[in-house]
Amino acid sequence: MPYSNSPVFIPAQRVQNYHYAIRNIVSKARHQEEQGKTVTYLNIGDPILYGFQPPEELIESTVLALRQGHNGYSPSCGKKDAVEAIAEDALSRGIPTSPENIIITFGASEAADLVCTAMLNPGDEVLCPSPGYPLYNAIIAKLNARELQYKLDPDNNWHPDPEEIESKITPRTKILVVINPNNPTGELYPPELIRKLVEIARKHRLLVITDEVYHKLVYEEKHIPLASMAEEDVAVITIDSLSKNYMAPGWRIGWFAITNSHLVPDVHFAFIKLADARLCAPMSPQYAIKAAMKLRKDYIECVMRRLHAQRDITVDMLNAIPGISCNNPKGAFYVMGKVDLDMLPFRSDEDFVLKLLQEKQILFVHGSGFGTDPSQGFFRVVFLPDVSTLKKVYSDLGDFIKQYQ
């Protein structure tokens, strides 16, 4: 029977709820480039696009592994010396774990996917920050589970309200997701807030996923691993990777560490089953993990000097533009800006972002792509470009705003 003009194959309904604004908006920028214009991309947190590179020790370890023929499959949970190095580093930072409680994954994204897939049945609930990293929303939608958004307060350093989190919990709530340092806000959570989040998980028997992939990229204060406060009665999954802390996103090497695995023995077994089924994470870059865990401090110090200068120029120049403001993040390489929609004639955060792209070829991401209300006017800026590039971007942004005042 010949095909008709109507679609024969229809995508699964779950895909309708699968959104990733960080990359989806790029199609608009590509259209600008097709017209011969040059776009400055401040939408995606890829350090390599802006001149950062992994430490030489990590590159040498990976190249040597390739040359020595380490091109086959690794054990599904990761090479022995790699998981041992991760566990040793975690313990040194106060995260209770052990090598048998480490699973190396295809980036931190697979770590989040694997944990949620092992834990969630259709209709189960996950508490996620809003704004938050859209990967979690997408995974939850794919699994036909339900996201419960808890708000991050822009008037309180984008911190959550523990009472609001607790008010949303139902008998179907299984997981609490915490992102610290936070993406998209760049904020760092203080010890007293972390302690309250752990207490909520203890009281309601929730598994905590704590996404700490930016834990080395901290400007002020100190990063406190959530698992360090878990004692022996809260199950915690700490997600980490080489991508951001070591500027190696394309290597796709992440991992998660289980704290208090005695509380989740069946789930731990499910993690291993899923890891076995997908065979393994990339083999050769696993040889860089041990080098990363022993890396000299001056590499991170050099990275942070550059990021610190870029953060400061971002905060100073954005807040100097009438109608624009932003927070002063304590970690990662993002700020959440805000355009005053009462002062300026934009219909929404996305309308502002798209008009800026069209007129000045500068690409931010609208805040509603991370879960904020479109009418609030938030947008995320990636401040990875060098200072001279950022100065030009913010000068052009100022000129763009002036014409609407």
Side-chain angles (χ1 to χ4, degrees), residues 342-395:
D342 293 326
M343 176 190 298
L344 297 164
F346 303 109
R347 297 188 306 273
S348 67
D349 57 358
E350 188 171 5
D351 182 46
F352 160 73
V353 165
L354 292 178
K355 285 182 177 174
L356 177 64
L357 172 64
Q358 182 177 5
E359 296 186 28
K360 293 294 185 179
Q361 290 73 58
I362 297 168
L363 184 62
F364 299 150
V365 182
H366 46 293
S368 53
F370 301 97
T372 62
D373 187 322
S375 67
Q376 293 179 305
F378 288 111
F379 58 94
R380 190 190 73 169
V381 179
V382 176
F383 55 81
L384 282 169
D386 59 75
V387 166
S388 62
T389 300
L390 291 174
K391 284 182 177 179
K392 183 179 186 311
V393 165
Y394 304 139
S395 177

Side-chain angles (χ1 to χ4, degrees), residues 6 67 75 89 108 131 134 149 163 182 188 213 218 234 236 244 265-266 286 290 297 309 316 323 335 344 381:
S6 60
R67 287 179 173 161
D89 177 73
Q149 292 186 346
E163 290 185 4
N182 185 264
L188 186 69
V213 300
V218 174
V234 177
V236 179
K244 305 304 168 72
D266 294 338
Q286 290 188 46
K290 187 173 181 180
K297 289 183 178 180
D316 291 346
V335 298
L344 297 164
V381 179

Side-chain angles (χ1 to χ4, degrees), residues 109-124:
S109 299
E110 192 199 32
D113 192 299
L114 193 152
V115 173
C116 290
T117 300
M119 275 288 296
L120 298 173
N121 290 311
D124 286 343

Side-chain angles (χ1 to χ4, degrees), residues 225-405:
L226 184 146
S228 67
M229 296 188 176
E231 299 181 5
E232 295 183 357
D233 56 354
V234 177
V236 179
I237 307 294
T238 303
I239 294 178
D240 202 347
S241 78
L242 295 183
S243 294
K244 305 304 168 72
N245 288 323
Y246 300 97
M247 306 292 165
W251 292 10
R252 308 314 299 139
I253 291 292
W255 57 86
F256 64 88
I258 310 170
T259 293
N260 293 327
S261 61
H262 66 277
L263 299 175
V264 287
D266 294 338
V267 174
H268 187 187
F269 181 65
F271 293 158
I272 295 171
K273 284 179 66 176
L274 290 171
D276 286 345
R278 60 76 160 114
L279 297 181
C280 66
M283 173 60 135
S284 297
Q286 290 188 46
Y287 282 79
I289 291 175
K290 187 173 181 180
M293 299 301 103
K294 301 294 184 182
L295 188 65
R296 65 192 190 282
K297 289 183 178 180
D298 61 335
Y299 172 81
I300 296 297
E301 289 171 352
C302 181
V303 166
M304 292 309 297
R305 279 194 297 272
R306 177 179 161 181
L307 288 178
H308 205 298
Q310 292 165 193
R311 181 202 65 166
D312 289 351
I313 199 70
T314 297
V315 172
D316 291 346
M317 290 191 71
L318 286 181
N319 284 312
I321 299 172
I324 298 288
S325 60
C326 75
N327 64 317
N328 186 20
K330 297 182 177 66
F333 35 68
Y334 311 109
V335 298
M336 283 293 277
K338 183 176 183 180
V339 57
D340 188 336
L341 298 182
D342 293 326
M343 176 190 298
L344 297 164
F346 303 109
R347 297 188 306 273
S348 67
D349 57 358
E350 188 171 5
D351 182 46
F352 160 73
V353 165
L354 292 178
K355 285 182 177 174
L356 177 64
L357 172 64
Q358 182 177 5
E359 296 186 28
K360 293 294 185 179
Q361 290 73 58
I362 297 168
L363 184 62
F364 299 150
V365 182
H366 46 293
S368 53
F370 301 97
T372 62
D373 187 322
S375 67
Q376 293 179 305
F378 288 111
F379 58 94
R380 190 190 73 169
V381 179
V382 176
F383 55 81
L384 282 169
D386 59 75
V387 166
S388 62
T389 300
L390 291 174
K391 284 182 177 179
K392 183 179 186 311
V393 165
Y394 304 139
S395 177
D396 288 348
L397 172 61
D399 292 341
F400 170 77
I401 292 296
K402 281 180 185 176
Q403 68 182 332
Y404 288 97
Q405 291 175 330

